[in-house]
Amino acid sequence: MFISSKSSSSSSRSGGTSRKNANSNKAASSSRSSNFKTKDSSSSSPPTTIELRGINIHFPFKPYPCQEKYMEKVLDALNNSENALLESPTGTGKTLCLLCSTLAW
């Protein structure tokens, strides 16, 4: 059970303040979005299709060798109806590899 420590009079006053803050946050957000720079598409590699274990996997860029190995292990587990405990360092694209290989399977 949640018990509020605010009285009803203070919550009605904070409601007006939160609306005011929401409007100022919206204005700040729109000014930040105009400062956002997108990557030049010519500098990144195009989407790639690779074949691993006889399955064509669509990947948004050319995968690194560790990503290919990870996807091979995912496919091995899926093909053998096994559970897999796979680990890889932070920032190596585990979620992307898991999604791409599983969806291709």
Side-chain angles (χ1 to χ4, degrees):
M1 176 188 287
F2 177 75
I3 300 173
S4 175
S5 61
K6 292 183 181 180
S7 68
S8 63
S9 62
S10 65
S11 63
S12 65
R13 276 183 268 158
S14 66
T17 306
S18 65
R19 262 187 255 124
K20 184 178 178 182
N21 289 341
N23 289 337
S24 65
N25 287 342
K26 187 186 290 185
S29 168
S30 65
S31 68
R32 276 182 279 188
S33 65
S34 63
N35 294 333
F36 181 73
K37 294 181 182 177
T38 58
K39 258 175 84 172
D40 183 16
S41 62
S42 63
S43 66
S44 63
S45 62
T48 305
T49 299
I50 61 169
E51 185 177 333
L52 296 173
R53 305 286 194 254
I55 298 173
N56 289 327
I57 300 174
H58 303 287
F59 211 68
F61 51 85
K62 183 173 179 352
Y64 296 114
C66 67
Q67 292 173 324
E68 288 184 11
K69 187 180 281 188
Y70 189 94
M71 289 188 283
E72 286 176 343
K73 297 293 183 185
V74 169
L75 292 173
D76 288 343
L78 290 169
N79 286 330
N80 297 325
S81 298
E82 297 176 341
N83 294 327
L85 178 62
L86 303 171
E87 56 184 4
S88 188
T90 303
T92 55
K94 293 178 292 292
T95 303
L96 180 62
C97 290
L98 181 65
L99 287 171
C100 290
S101 58
T102 303
L103 290 171
W105 182 75

